[in-house]
Amino acid sequence: VGWPTIDRNLDAGQTPLQSAALDMSALEHAQKVAETEFGNFYVTAAGIMRFEERNSAVDQAVLFAFSDAAGAGLPVTFSDPEISDDQIRNDVTVSRLEGAAQNAKDATSIATYQISSYTRDGLYNNSDDHSRYLAQFILEAYKDPAERVSRMAVNPYRDPTTLWPAVLGLELTDRITL
C-alpha cells in the first residue's frame, strides 16, 4: 500500500498474500488485508497506522503483570462478567479471491448451540490451503461461548510509580497478566 509522503508509518504483519487489483482506496485495501489476516488495523496514539496479523497478540510478550505479591489483593476489579453465546461460529466458510470456498464445522457445537454460520469471501489469501486454515482457526476460536468481562478497572493509587505508567502506556491489543 502506498501512503502519501507526509509523515506516515505502517507497521506490517509477516504473512504473504496474493496480489489483488487496487480497485479501491489504499485505506479500503489495507482494511481488506486486515480482514484477510483476521487482524487489527488501527491508528496508535502516536499517529502510526498499525496492522497486526492474527498471531500478533499471541506472539506478543506480556507487557505488564498485575499481582497481589504484597498480599493486599489485586489492584484490579472486574465488572459485568458474562458468558455469551452471541458470537458462536460453528459453521465457517472462507474463500479467497478467485479461490474455492473452504468449510469447517463442529458437530458438537452445532448440536449444543444450534448452527451459526459465518462466511468470509474475496480475501487475499495466497492459497486455498490458507483459506482452509483460516476457516479452522475461526472455528476453533469461536465454536464455544466466550467468557467476557465488560470492564476492568485498575486502581493505580495502590502503587502509583509502577501502575500509572503501565495503565497509561498500553495499546489496544497489548497483553497483560493477572
Side-chain angles (χ1 to χ4, degrees), residues 92-124:
V92 180
T93 303
V94 174
S95 61
R96 67 189 181 102
L97 197 61
E98 300 177 4
Q102 304 296 317
N103 183 263
K105 292 183 182 181
D106 186 276
T108 304
S109 177
I110 291 171
T112 306
Y113 307 108
Q114 299 183 351
I115 194 163
S116 178
S117 299
Y118 182 67
T119 302
R120 295 181 127 184
D121 54 11
L123 302 183
Y124 297 156

Side-chain angles (χ1 to χ4, degrees), residues 80-97:
D80 306 327
E82 63 183 39
I83 295 187
S84 172
D85 63 358
D86 64 338
Q87 291 190 9
I88 287 180
R89 307 288 185 253
N90 49 29
D91 175 24
V92 180
T93 303
V94 174
S95 61
R96 67 189 181 102
L97 197 61

